[in-house]
Amino acid sequence: MRGLEQIPWLYDGLMAAADRLGLRRWRRRLVAGVSGRVLEVGCGTGRNLPLYAVPERVIGMDPDLAALRRARRRAPSVPLVVARAEALPFADGVFDTVVSGLVFCSVQDPPRALTEVRRVLGAEGELRMLEHVRHARPGVARWQDRVQPAWTCVSGGCHPNRDTEAAVERAGFCIDPDERVARGVMRRFAARVCAAQADASDRNDGDSG
Ligand SMILES: C[S@@+](CC[C@H](N)C(=O)[O-])C[C@H]1O[C@@H](n2cnc3c(N)ncnc32)[C@H](O)[C@@H]1O
């Protein structure tokens, strides 16, 4: 499906305006203080990449080659990979941080993608997300449901009515309440695999070893 997200010059023009109107602050907070080896899932045209303190420790990935060409110009030192979040071409546990900004509204299969994120994160790994989500008020959420088919078409994949935080929790992550910011439909949060789940998978690893 081709829409705004697949037309990099147009996407960047619209995002430049959104960044000036306040989105850049959300982006800065999203990447502030990230540590270790970082994977940015769905980096698109790379608008977050210059904001990392140590871009050399970041790998950017996105399924859209044209978007990645722009990302390359924006952040020449960041290695870029063409891939989908549902099938990450990385070994288990190789990243300390996975960052995702405005992406899980667009991935085709969020549960599968989150399973992949979990797989590539190390035991203490952190997932950082910036998303717009389903509104808490049922009336607004119903309106989001109504506009979703047309918006998904125009945007090239975005679903304005997804409850991404619930999907993250269903995937076995616990959201850190101290690292969660909610304003309207915007969310920024950090999450780690819940302790009970991490213990269970450690036990399974021990049993199979
Ligand atoms: C709204 S754009 C966000 C781009 C960038 N992260 C930003 O903050 O400007 C959504 C991005 O998600 C990417 N995307 C869509 N489906 C994806 C998938 N299955 N796996 C990874 N990225 C995906 C799109 O190619 C697009 O670059």
Side-chain angles (χ1 to χ4, degrees):
M1 181 186 321
R2 198 172 143 80
L4 290 175
E5 287 180 11
Q6 291 76 39
I7 308 173
W9 63 267
L10 183 53
Y11 177 80
D12 258 350
L14 294 170
M15 277 295 149
D19 282 356
R20 274 196 298 275
L21 289 172
L23 186 57
R24 188 172 289 116
R25 269 200 305 280
W26 288 87
R27 293 184 183 282
R28 285 191 195 286
R29 297 298 300 275
L30 174 69
V31 307
V34 294
S35 59
R37 292 150 302 172
V38 180
L39 173 66
E40 184 169 328
V41 170
C43 67
T45 59
R47 300 194 73 82
N48 296 328
L49 298 180
L51 305 178
Y52 288 91
V54 192
E56 294 73 22
R57 303 221 69 190
V58 182
I59 293 178
M61 58 126 308
D62 198 281
D64 192 304
L65 186 58
L68 288 181
R69 287 204 182 100
R70 280 200 160 223
R72 157 80 59 249
R73 290 204 292 275
R74 209 165 244 139
S77 65
V78 174
L80 300 171
V81 176
V82 182
R84 295 194 162 274
E86 293 90 338
L88 293 173
F90 305 104
D92 298 358
V94 288
F95 293 103
D96 302 293
T97 312
V98 171
V99 173
S100 156
L102 309 173
V103 174
F104 274 78
C105 52
S106 293
V107 301
Q108 248 168 15
D109 186 342
R112 187 160 157 199
L114 287 163
T115 302
E116 278 291 87
V117 167
R118 202 178 146 169
R119 180 183 65 74
V120 300
L121 271 174
E124 303 294 314
E126 183 180 57
L127 168 62
R128 296 260 189 118
M129 268 200 181
L130 169 62
E131 282 294 340
H132 59 90
V133 297
R134 186 177 189 82
H135 204 282
R137 292 203 346 236
V140 184
R142 273 198 299 279
W143 177 81
Q144 288 177 309
D145 290 338
R146 274 202 293 278
V147 300
Q148 179 263 311
W151 179 242
T152 301
C153 213
V154 171
S155 65
C158 172
H159 296 70
N161 54 347
R162 281 193 179 158
D163 187 348
T164 298
E165 284 182 293
V168 165
E169 288 176 333
R170 276 197 301 274
F173 288 93
C174 285
I175 293 173
D176 180 348
D178 298 332
E179 293 290 332
R180 178 177 182 269
V181 178
R183 248 173 244 140
V185 294
M186 293 299 289
R187 299 287 182 277
R188 180 176 57 73
F189 56 88
R192 292 177 196 273
V193 172
C194 302
Q197 300 223 10
D199 289 350
S201 71
D202 282 354
R203 272 198 304 278
N204 290 340
D205 287 351
D207 291 348
S208 61

